Amino acid sequence: MSSTAGQVIKCKAAIAWEAGKPLVIEEVEVAPPQAMEVRVKILFTSLCHTDVYFWEAKGQTPVFPRILGHEAAGIVESVGEGVTDLQPGDHVLPVFTGECKECDHCKSEESNMCSLLRIDPDRGVMIGDGKSRFSINGKPIYHFLGTSTFSEYTVVHVGCLAKINPLAPLETVCVLSCGISTGFGATVNVAKPKKGSSVAVFGLGAVGLAAAEGARVSGASRIIGVDLNSDRFEQAKKFGVTEFVNPKDHDRPVQEVIAEMTGGGVDRSVECTGNINAMISAFECVHDGWGVAVLVGVPHKDAVFKTSPVNFLTERTLKGTFYGNYKPRSDIPGVVEKYMNKEMELEKFITHEVPFSEINKAFDLMFRGEGLRCLIRMEN
């Protein structure tokens, strides 16, 4: 075991003390892992839009002070009682949702929505004893999505850690722990486009471009990118996007524009914005008889999906997906292998890098809409 096993570790963490205020790097105490928990040394993390959403705390229960962060890669420092499939030194990706391997969802081949460990943004404590593993001067600092990767060390439930190939570069594969797997999996696991088919992708941020990458890897011949920001179109070509539509350039619904471009509609569409109108357009732009639309973006809680039932009767299919339909422990190691075997590209998603001490710059980049993923390099 490591020399720190069983002891409290003092390290640096970026703390969100209140909504919308810059993170503050401070020394925290990280307690040892309890039963079925693992303490992980985080080496790389990145900023995802979900972190910003809960940091702003405009539409949900505010939980502060809190350590955000959920897209990351690290190395196991020590394990708690009952943990058998991980040991110190293992390379892992923490994931915001889990796989207990025992509930009905985990036993189902179709679902990845673990009953025990599925995403719970309101929970700021560990599931085992309802307490936080982080503290400053004896006062608890709350967890985020069970991961809290904006800390040099964090404690995670074993079911939320994917053990990966130790040869994989952590600074690159860290992006697979959230957004890239979500978009890529939505296409390859759920939309399942056939070789030579047409795919429309709504929203060309990191998740949408990962969906386009999935279409490219699947052999789609036409990948139509839809976005309100025409500046994103040039970059999207690197991800296989062949044509672009900006809905603002047209005076009729974008689904009609796409239907005309494709002789009746695309074979598959993937919606990655969470905008309810984009969701409806993504469904209505697929071809009758065989078209499949997949929803990835998270809508406003009061949003209502409105379309004519005739669109279903004419054999269009609407699906939703969560984390690309991947089970974290069973499937994500295989996605890392896809990257290692050069079957998918990841480097192009990482457009910026900052040291941990300058983590607030990553937030600034996201607010300015610059780049896709900003890698945050821990300095421990």
Side-chain angles (χ1 to χ4, degrees):
M1 295 291 275
S2 66
S3 61
T4 46
Q7 299 174 31
V8 170
I9 288 180
K10 289 185 176 181
C11 69
K12 287 180 182 163
I15 297 169
W17 285 101
E18 53 185 303
K21 295 285 169 71
L23 304 188
V24 183
I25 297 202
E26 299 195 33
E27 186 177 83
V28 295
E29 295 191 338
V30 185
Q34 301 302 303
M36 302 310 288
E37 296 173 4
V38 178
R39 191 160 56 184
V40 179
K41 178 179 184 176
I42 299 294
L43 297 182
F44 300 95
T45 185
S46 48
L47 182 66
C48 167
H49 194 268
T50 307
D51 296 306
V52 176
Y53 180 75
F54 285 97
W55 169 73
E56 291 180 315
K58 287 175 183 170
Q60 70 287 328
T61 316
V63 181
F64 296 99
R66 196 172 209 182
I67 297 172
L68 298 167
H70 64 284
E71 197 172 84
I75 296 176
V76 173
E77 174 270 337
S78 62
V79 301
E81 186 187 335
V83 175
T84 55
D85 50 355
L86 286 174
Q87 57 189 25
D90 283 345
H91 288 209
V92 290
L93 300 182
V95 182
F96 62 88
T97 186
E99 181 186 353
C100 72
K101 298 196 172 181
E102 290 170 7
C103 69
D104 288 347
H105 283 276
C106 287
K107 287 177 177 171
S108 158
E109 287 181 12
E110 296 175 48
S111 175
N112 67 338
M113 310 243 337
C114 175
S115 302
L116 179 70
L117 299 168
R118 76 169 63 171
I119 186 169
D120 180 357
D122 293 338
R123 192 175 67 234
V125 293
M126 296 304 289
I127 212 162
D129 61 2
K131 293 177 181 171
S132 173
R133 302 288 171 261
F134 299 110
S135 62
I136 293 181
N137 299 325
K139 292 189 176 157
I141 307 292
Y142 294 108
H143 293 252
F144 175 64
L145 300 186
T147 52
S148 290
T149 62
F150 294 167
S151 175
E152 291 175 333
Y153 286 87
T154 187
V155 176
V156 181
H157 190 285
V158 65
C160 297
L161 290 167
K163 179 183 174 181
I164 63 164
N165 184 339
L167 299 177
L170 295 178
E171 67 269 28
T172 309
V173 297
C174 68
V175 296
L176 287 174
S177 79
C178 177
I180 310 312
S181 294
T182 296
F184 189 83
T187 304
V188 300
N189 295 334
V190 187
K192 296 180 180 171
K194 295 184 171 76
K195 198 167 184 179
S197 63
S198 58
V199 179
V201 176
F202 286 72
L204 298 176
V207 175
L209 291 176
E213 176 77 359
R216 182 188 73 78
V217 167
S218 301
S221 59
R222 291 181 77 182
I223 303 174
I224 301 168
V226 184
D227 201 290
L228 294 170
N229 180 356
S230 298
D231 295 343
R232 287 179 155 179
F233 293 166
E234 193 58 41
Q235 181 180 44
K237 291 176 185 173
K238 292 183 201 165
F239 299 83
V241 176
T242 56
E243 299 153 76
F244 305 99
V245 178
N246 185 333
K248 289 195 288 195
D249 295 343
H250 303 273
D251 53 8
R252 56 194 169 129
V254 70
Q255 51 268 48
E256 292 178 20
V257 176
I258 292 170
E260 190 174 289
M261 287 169 67
T262 53
V266 286
D267 301 312
R268 301 288 186 265
S269 72
V270 185
E271 195 290 322
C272 302
T273 72
N275 177 288
I276 191 65
N277 296 317
M279 290 178 160
I280 295 166
S281 298
F283 175 54
E284 294 183 352
C285 80
V286 299
H287 206 290
D288 58 2
W290 62 79
V292 178
V294 178
L295 305 184
V296 180
V298 180
H300 187 274
K301 66 182 190 310
D302 300 326
V304 178
F305 190 99
K306 291 180 180 171
T307 191
S308 167
V310 173
N311 290 323
F312 293 98
L313 297 174
T314 46
E315 300 179 359
R316 291 176 182 85
T317 301
L318 179 64
K319 293 183 170 187
T321 175
F322 171 69
Y323 193 49
N325 212 223
Y326 288 119
K327 292 178 187 275
R329 296 160 87 180
S330 303
D331 298 335
I332 294 304
V335 183
V336 170
E337 292 310 309
K338 264 188 193 296
Y339 163 73
M340 296 296 280
N341 297 333
K342 297 188 166 46
E343 293 168 41
M344 69 185 297
E345 297 170 13
L346 292 178
E347 284 84 358
K348 58 193 176 186
F349 287 98
I350 299 166
T351 51
H352 296 81
E353 182 181 323
V354 296
F356 186 43
S357 57
E358 297 173 22
I359 188 169
N360 288 305
K361 281 188 180 172
F363 283 76
D364 296 339
L365 287 164
M366 187 163 279
F367 281 122
R368 292 203 300 267
E370 289 180 29
L372 296 173
R373 278 295 185 260
C374 179
L375 184 72
I376 298 158
R377 186 180 290 270
M378 304 310 253
E379 297 154 325
N380 52 353

